[in-house]
Amino acid sequence: MKKKILALIFLFTAFLTVTGCARLQSSDSWPRIEKDKTVVVGLDDSFVPMGFREKSGALAGFDIDLARAVFKLYGVKVSFQPIDWSMKETELRNQTIDLIWNGYSVTPERKKQVTFTAPYLENHQVLVTMTKYNVNGFKGMKGKTLGVQTGSSGASALDQNPKLLKQYIDNQTPVLYDTFNEAFLDLSAGRIQGIFMDEVYARYYIAHQKDPKAYQVYEDKGFGYENFAAGMRKSDVTLKNKIDAGFKTMEKNGTMAKLKAKWFGNDAK
């Protein structure tokens, strides 16, 4: 009898835990954010120029400035949480973070898991190589080794359009990296001969090298373009509306244009 009672208590407790977690994940986070005056943003803190560490260790980047400017409108402080980019949706689902906001591309696959804000920047996927490897366009990667970041939109685009680039690379399989910084180190050392990556990162990184002319950037329009937006749990309707309203306010008062000019010059879309 005691064993049966204990078993019933265990099952009841488990039921409460599961239903409680489900209720938590289905609730709107804005009342809690507004009360605590803090929102947690998950990011890859090596992704220049969107969100990265300066030599001093301080966070900087377009998305850092943008997130702070948006939530300043509501008197909310942004707490930035570095995460494993390949686990970003899991971190969001587990309530470790409130937002994914760091050069986060809108894709059909991601739309199934998160709700996106209005887009705020256009981005393309490009092939980055070095002049010394004599790679002339995508076909020039035939038999050569390509690097991509794990969980990136570039990795997805590579799989979805295999005839554009994947069919040419060694074993038709890219080398996966946790960060683009690691990929660039291997590119310089000759361990890989190309990186398929976000154009915003590539252009910024190359422009800040001692010899920018040592790099080559190639684009194929077949990959199209993508939009950057912030991602959140599907239950966070109010949070989405607040951020979208913030974007509109910043477009009207010129803040958005100033931030884009600061990080990308006058060519930013």
Side-chain angles (χ1 to χ4, degrees):
M1 181 61 72
K2 288 183 178 180
K3 289 183 179 180
K4 290 183 178 180
I5 293 174
L6 288 173
L8 289 172
I9 292 174
F10 174 79
L11 290 173
F12 183 67
T13 303
F15 173 77
L16 290 177
T17 301
V18 171
T19 54
C21 289
R23 192 180 300 112
L24 182 62
Q25 290 190 11
S26 65
S27 63
D28 195 318
S29 300
W30 183 252
R32 186 256 304 160
I33 292 171
E34 190 173 36
K35 179 182 177 182
D36 295 344
K37 301 296 182 184
T38 302
V39 63
V40 181
V41 168
L43 79 161
D44 165 10
D45 62 357
S46 67
F47 187 30
V48 296
M50 308 307 287
F52 62 98
R53 296 284 179 183
E54 295 181 313
K55 291 183 179 179
S56 64
L59 277 172
F62 177 78
D63 277 337
I64 304 299
D65 288 348
L66 182 61
R68 285 173 174 163
V70 167
F71 285 104
K72 184 178 180 181
L73 297 172
Y74 305 108
V76 172
K77 179 183 177 182
V78 183
S79 175
F80 294 98
Q81 176 65 50
I83 58 174
D84 180 340
W85 196 245
S86 66
M87 298 294 289
K88 52 193 175 298
E89 287 84 11
T90 300
E91 296 277 7
L92 187 67
R93 188 165 54 250
N94 291 344
Q95 310 267 327
T96 308
I97 58 176
D98 297 311
L99 290 162
I100 303 171
W101 196 337
N102 189 213
Y104 190 39
S105 301
V106 179
T107 67
E109 294 76 17
R110 289 172 177 172
K111 280 185 176 181
K112 296 175 183 178
Q113 301 183 67
V114 308
T115 289
F116 283 99
T117 62
Y120 58 81
L121 196 71
E122 184 180 300
N123 180 52
H124 301 79
Q125 294 298 320
V126 296
L127 169 65
V128 177
T129 183
M130 301 190 75
T131 307
K132 63 183 179 182
Y133 299 139
N134 298 313
V135 174
N136 185 20
F138 283 33
K139 292 182 179 179
M141 283 297 294
K142 187 174 182 179
K144 294 181 170 61
T145 307
L146 181 74
V148 296
Q149 185 186 37
T150 304
S152 66
S153 55
S156 297
L158 191 69
D159 290 336
Q160 292 167 5
N161 304 275
K163 292 184 178 180
L164 296 180
L165 178 57
K166 190 175 182 179
Q167 68 167 331
Y168 300 116
I169 64 176
D170 185 40
N171 294 321
Q172 296 187 0
T173 305
V175 177
L176 300 178
Y177 292 90
D178 290 334
T179 68
F180 286 127
N181 281 348
E182 295 170 328
F184 268 109
L185 289 174
D186 276 4
L187 182 68
S188 297
R191 286 184 284 270
I192 61 175
Q193 290 73 52
I195 308 173
F196 193 58
M197 62 185 300
D198 298 277
E199 184 179 20
V200 292
Y201 188 121
R203 300 290 185 188
Y204 188 89
Y205 180 93
I206 293 171
H208 287 76
Q209 298 306 298
K210 291 182 179 180
D211 184 14
K213 292 182 180 179
Y215 296 86
Q216 297 289 330
V217 179
Y218 298 100
E219 180 182 349
D220 190 309
K221 292 183 179 179
F223 282 107
Y225 71 91
E226 57 199 36
N227 287 310
F228 283 164
M232 69 209 73
R233 289 177 286 276
K234 288 184 175 293
S235 58
D236 281 325
V237 178
T238 307
L239 181 58
K240 170 183 165 55
N241 291 339
K242 293 289 184 181
I243 297 174
D244 286 351
F247 286 167
K248 290 181 180 179
T249 297
M250 292 167 63
E251 290 283 1
K252 291 180 180 179
N253 64 22
T255 301
M256 187 72 81
K258 288 179 180 178
L259 290 180
K260 288 183 178 180
K262 172 184 175 181
W263 290 103
F264 309 110
N266 296 320
D267 296 329
K269 295 182 181 181

